[in-house]
Amino acid sequence: MVGKNIAVFDIGKTNKKFTVFDEELNVAYTTSTKIEEKKTNGIICDDVDAINSWVLSVLDSALSRFNIGSIVFTTFGATVVLLDAEDKLAFPVVSYNQEIEPEVRQKFFEEYGSPEELYVRTGTPPLGQLLNVGLQLYWIKNEFPEVYEKTKTILFLPEYFSFILSGGKATEITSVGCHTYLYDIVDKDWSIVAKGLDVPEKSPPFYNVWDCIGKYKGVKVAAGIHDSNASLVPFLLAEKKEFVLASTGTWCVFMYPSAEYSPAKEDVYRDILYYIDVYGRPIKSARFKCGYEFEYYINITRKRFNVDPLKIPFDEKLAVKIIKEQTAYVVPTLTPGTGQFPCSKGRIVKEKEFFRDPATAYHVLNLSLAAQTYFALSLLTRGKKGLRILVQGGFAKNPHYLRYLATLMPYNTIVYYKYTEATSLGAALVGKAALEDKSLKDLDVELPQLESIEVKRLSIDDKYVEEYLESFKELCEKNSI
């Protein structure tokens, strides 16, 4: 009997989640764990051994309870696994949070072209740390040449976990196209960086994300998919009008599928980039570390007042007052080189007012993050009005953020979803396509989970909103690193 259920692994940087979906794409079972990064010989690494152990444990348990027909992995991007001739790790799996010497970055651009030149071809801006996989491979090749020499296979993280289960090796476009410098969008082929680093020779053939590349205990294993692209899949199938998907978590990623590929040089240093979707199309996007900054300031507030800020209710009068009086600001960025204000120094402006009480601190924080979102979306869409902004993920549960965002963007419609697990749902759709041997486009599905709820804006004169946004922007540009 062919299994009808779909098993999805959603591997985040810290949180790892496993979900079993039934044939109607309802959640039948879910569990999660936390596995942190580790250091190996001074290098920050993803603990793939611990992840593999957890994967096998929860999967084998689920196979004994559910009639599973396909398995899909979706993971964070910017991460590759190097395998030797015996398919063992040739090197620890380096985290994109690893820092490298500035000289390495400089030599990379001297060899392969300026950031502006590469941006025009690959849609990839120069990101901090090792968030560009091409730069990571260049660093490994030059710092550890013997490792790169013995590397016979390069797999992106989703495909590595799929390989561990199935023995099948695959390359797929959503991971290759995740700000790596490895894919030339103009030529629709491997880039000059990829060719210079022998990536095509070390990579398996390309597969669709939904293609079955092998089996685990008789169950189909799909190639795999990058998590931001997985979160986009349900909306590509369900939305009929022009939209921007705000996929919110540690990173807030804003994806605008209707935009043309037109990389502007002024966007190179403002975290405007192009992902590649499951059909091979460039998706104009903007990002900043919204969830990371949220958690950082939440922890400060929690320690200062000894309360849980997440339990503070939304106060409409206070919310309006903070905008009108410009009470305080939380200015980006805690991660230099990222976001729309990459040179801005992350800080609290008017600390005394910010720490007046926990409610003020929490409202100011969410207003400031909504303001960052406003500037990200404005750059992404070039100020276009009449769009639907679809908020998914953690911030879809945050009324403070949502109400402020709707207030800052009165000419667009802000909606959120009670169902916040679009990444897992998107991966489940990939699993359904694998199960039925179909393309995603050919699936006959209804997605009642995606019932949207429109967010109401605050009752406040537009003049105050415009003045707040202008002062926020000035603060970001004034005290740069």
Side-chain angles (χ1 to χ4, degrees):
M1 179 176 161
V2 177
K4 297 292 187 181
N5 293 327
I6 301 158
V8 169
F9 286 95
D10 181 358
I11 308 295
K13 258 299 181 187
T14 299
N15 295 311
K16 279 70 179 168
K17 186 167 57 178
F18 173 70
T19 306
V20 177
F21 290 83
D22 66 20
E23 56 187 307
E24 268 78 50
L25 299 175
N26 298 308
V27 173
Y29 171 76
T30 188
T31 186
S32 63
T33 191
K34 288 190 175 185
I35 300 174
E36 303 282 354
E37 295 174 330
K38 65 177 184 178
K39 275 203 170 185
T40 303
N41 297 324
I43 298 173
I44 305 172
C45 300
D46 291 295
D47 194 348
V48 294
D49 290 336
I51 298 170
N52 280 326
S53 295
W54 173 75
V55 164
L56 292 170
S57 174
V58 297
L59 180 57
D60 286 343
S61 174
L63 287 171
S64 69
R65 299 167 54 198
F66 298 97
N67 190 22
I68 293 172
S70 64
I71 303 165
V72 184
F73 286 92
T74 182
T75 82
F76 51 88
T79 307
V80 286
V81 182
L82 310 184
L83 301 179
D84 63 19
E86 296 179 352
D87 290 332
K88 305 296 184 185
L89 291 183
F91 200 65
V93 179
V94 180
S95 167
Y96 62 60
N97 288 317
Q98 175 68 28
E99 298 284 357
I100 59 171
E101 295 296 325
E103 293 78 17
V104 178
R105 197 176 298 271
Q106 183 180 341
K107 288 178 181 177
F108 173 83
F109 291 119
E110 287 174 357
E111 189 163 339
Y112 293 111
S114 69
E116 292 80 8
E117 290 169 328
L118 287 174
Y119 185 64
V120 168
R121 302 293 303 193
T122 68
T124 296
L127 304 175
Q129 300 161 313
L130 285 178
L131 282 159
N132 299 122
V133 162
L135 178 61
Q136 181 185 142
L137 293 174
Y138 179 83
W139 172 69
I140 294 172
K141 183 179 180 181
N142 285 275
E143 293 293 315
F144 310 96
E146 71 288 350
V147 167
Y148 210 72
E149 179 66 28
K150 73 176 183 179
T151 295
K152 302 304 178 187
T153 304
I154 297 174
L155 295 177
F156 281 84
L157 199 58
E159 289 70 59
Y160 168 69
F161 292 124
S162 298
F163 160 71
I164 290 296
L165 289 188
S166 70
K169 294 178 181 177
T171 302
E172 52 81 22
I173 196 62
T174 68
S175 293
V176 173
C178 173
H179 51 78
T180 64
Y181 283 132
L182 299 179
Y183 186 70
D184 189 312
I185 294 174
V186 178
D187 287 346
K188 298 181 180 179
D189 196 1
W190 291 108
S191 69
I192 184 174
V193 175
K195 292 171 183 175
L197 294 169
D198 302 320
V199 175
E201 292 83 357
K202 295 176 184 288
S203 297
F206 274 89
Y207 287 80
N208 294 309
V209 298
W210 56 81
D211 286 343
C212 172
I213 63 167
K215 293 185 177 182
Y216 177 74
K217 296 186 176 180
V219 178
K220 288 183 175 181
V221 179
I225 183 171
H226 169 237
D227 57 8
S228 293
N229 262 292
S231 68
L232 182 62
V233 165
F235 301 96
L236 290 175
L237 296 179
E239 285 289 320
K240 306 304 178 189
K241 295 181 180 179
E242 202 169 338
F243 70 92
V244 174
L245 175 63
S247 182
T248 63
T250 301
W251 286 92
C252 284
V253 181
F254 309 97
M255 307 179 84
Y256 185 23
S258 299
E260 294 181 355
Y261 182 64
S262 56
K265 288 188 176 180
E266 61 267 24
D267 289 338
V268 172
Y269 298 102
R270 299 193 294 191
D271 233 337
I272 304 293
L273 65 154
Y274 290 81
Y275 291 98
I276 307 296
D277 77 0
V278 294
Y279 306 117
R281 303 174 302 192
I283 304 292
K284 188 179 182 183
S285 305
R287 326 172 312 156
F288 71 95
K289 269 189 164 178
C290 191
Y292 178 81
E293 301 211 351
F294 180 80
E295 289 297 331
Y296 178 85
Y297 290 107
I298 282 295
N299 287 333
I300 289 175
T301 305
R302 185 179 287 120
K303 290 176 183 176
R304 181 70 171 256
F305 295 104
N306 197 29
V307 298
D308 183 0
L310 302 182
K311 294 182 179 178
I312 295 172
F314 184 71
D315 184 331
E316 189 155 341
K317 287 184 179 179
L318 176 61
V320 169
K321 181 182 178 184
I322 287 170
I323 296 176
K324 283 185 174 181
E325 297 181 357
Q326 298 180 22
T327 303
Y329 306 82
V330 177
V331 176
T333 173
L334 297 176
T335 312
T338 66
Q340 288 61 58
F341 302 101
C343 297
S344 175
K345 186 177 180 181
R347 65 204 185 277
I348 297 170
V349 176
K350 300 184 182 177
E351 278 198 47
K352 184 178 179 182
E353 289 82 356
F354 180 85
F355 288 118
R356 181 186 300 158
D357 55 68
T360 297
Y362 190 58
H363 281 71
V364 168
L365 172 59
N366 279 289
L367 172 58
S368 295
L369 293 174
Q372 283 197 64
T373 302
Y374 166 87
F375 286 108
L377 290 171
S378 296
L379 281 172
L380 177 64
T381 66
R382 295 178 179 167
K384 186 167 184 177
K385 299 177 181 179
L387 293 172
R388 278 167 55 84
I389 312 297
L390 319 178
V391 182
Q392 251 292 325
F395 282 84
K397 305 172 187 176
N398 183 335
H400 304 64
Y401 171 83
L402 292 169
R403 293 293 301 277
Y404 272 134
L405 183 60
T407 302
L408 300 183
M409 306 197 75
Y411 302 109
N412 292 295
T413 303
I414 311 299
V415 304
Y416 72 99
Y417 302 82
K418 288 184 178 178
Y419 185 87
T420 59
E421 303 299 336
T423 302
S424 291
L425 178 61
L429 286 161
V430 170
K432 188 172 179 64
L435 194 60
E436 299 179 5
D437 292 318
K438 292 180 178 179
S439 163
L440 276 167
K441 287 180 179 178
D442 297 329
L443 288 180
D444 181 18
V445 291
E446 294 183 4
L447 298 171
Q449 304 96 322
L450 300 185
E451 182 181 351
S452 62
I453 303 165
E454 187 171 339
V455 182
K456 180 183 176 185
R457 71 185 300 256
L458 295 170
S459 180
I460 184 173
D461 194 300
D462 287 347
K463 177 186 75 148
Y464 294 112
V465 173
E466 291 164 6
E467 289 173 351
Y468 170 82
L469 288 169
E470 187 58 38
S471 62
F472 184 90
K473 184 179 180 183
E474 287 176 5
L475 286 167
C476 293
E477 294 175 343
K478 184 171 71 173
N479 191 7
S480 295
I481 296 169

